[in-house]
Amino acid sequence: MTVFLQGFAVAAPLIMAIGAQNLFVLRQGVLRQHVVPVVVFCALMDAVLIAAGVGGLGSLLGAAPMLRVAMALAGSGFLIWYGVGAARRAAAPGALDPTKGEGASSLAAALARAAAFTLLNPHVYLDTVLLIGSIGAAQATEARPVFVAGAAFASVVWFTGLGFGARLLAPILSRPRTWRVIEAVVAVMMFAIAAKLLWGAGQIIL
């Protein structure tokens, strides 16, 4: 139980840090679109990445700076593209209706975006794989699966709360003006994260 709680305590603050993936899950919860599949997908991917990190992938990433640069470039490009879309939705009140236009999406599209936010975000690898993985790998061999379970459980708790907790804000979020603010904040966050990724990649190259 101690190792399980250690895994939970290590993973929770890293997973809870506001990022592109969390903002996407929050938006899906607000829209009430494919919340269960998106939450399950994000939690499952975290579990896989944590297990991979504990299994040795974290050491590989730590020794491959140019791979981190490539991930940063790909991730920043995707975030800029998504940020532009959010900015357009903020500027067009009609598009803020979740049942119309860009507000609605198919399950396949939602999962594709969830995959992009997860796999194209270098912070997922640096935090989930490299940091959590290195701490988990330092555990005794027989304790590593328990550590992974604890860290993965933190992800389940967070994404479940994020995806379904957004519904509690429905009375406020039903207002078009609120949607405009949300999309504007999402756009700013996407651009800020992309800029941070590009800056980090530049630091590695230089």
Side-chain angles (χ1 to χ4, degrees):
M1 180 59 70
T2 301
V3 175
F4 182 91
L5 292 177
Q6 182 181 356
F8 186 96
V10 168
L14 296 175
I15 294 170
M16 290 170 63
I18 296 299
Q21 185 188 48
N22 289 340
L23 287 173
F24 174 73
V25 174
L26 180 62
R27 185 174 188 276
Q28 291 301 117
V30 169
L31 292 173
R32 301 189 182 188
Q33 289 184 4
H34 317 300
V35 180
V36 172
V38 168
V39 166
V40 170
F41 178 86
C42 290
L44 181 60
M45 286 305 302
D46 269 6
V48 170
L49 291 170
I50 290 169
V54 174
L57 182 58
S59 299
L60 175 62
L61 285 177
M66 294 313 297
L67 177 58
R68 300 202 302 272
V69 169
M71 290 190 299
L73 294 177
S76 60
F78 172 75
L79 292 175
I80 291 172
W81 171 79
Y82 193 83
V84 170
R88 288 177 176 173
R89 289 191 294 270
L96 299 179
D97 184 346
T99 64
K100 298 179 181 180
E102 292 185 48
S105 64
S106 66
L107 174 59
L111 292 180
R113 289 183 177 181
F117 279 120
T118 301
L119 301 176
L120 292 178
N121 184 0
H123 288 294
V124 170
Y125 297 95
L126 296 177
D127 293 343
T128 306
V129 177
L130 185 57
L131 182 54
I132 299 177
S134 63
I135 296 174
Q139 304 290 326
T141 303
E142 63 275 11
R144 291 175 187 173
V146 180
F147 180 90
V148 170
F153 185 64
S155 180
V156 171
V157 171
W158 173 246
F159 285 122
T160 300
L162 194 64
F164 291 98
R167 297 185 180 186
L168 299 177
L169 301 175
I172 298 175
L173 297 172
S174 61
R175 304 169 186 169
R177 183 176 179 180
T178 303
W179 274 107
R180 181 178 297 217
V181 172
I182 290 174
E183 295 292 5
V185 171
V186 168
V188 171
M189 287 293 297
M190 296 300 105
F191 294 144
I193 296 172
K196 183 178 180 181
L197 292 178
L198 292 174
W199 174 263
Q203 293 296 103
I204 294 175
I205 294 174
L206 298 177

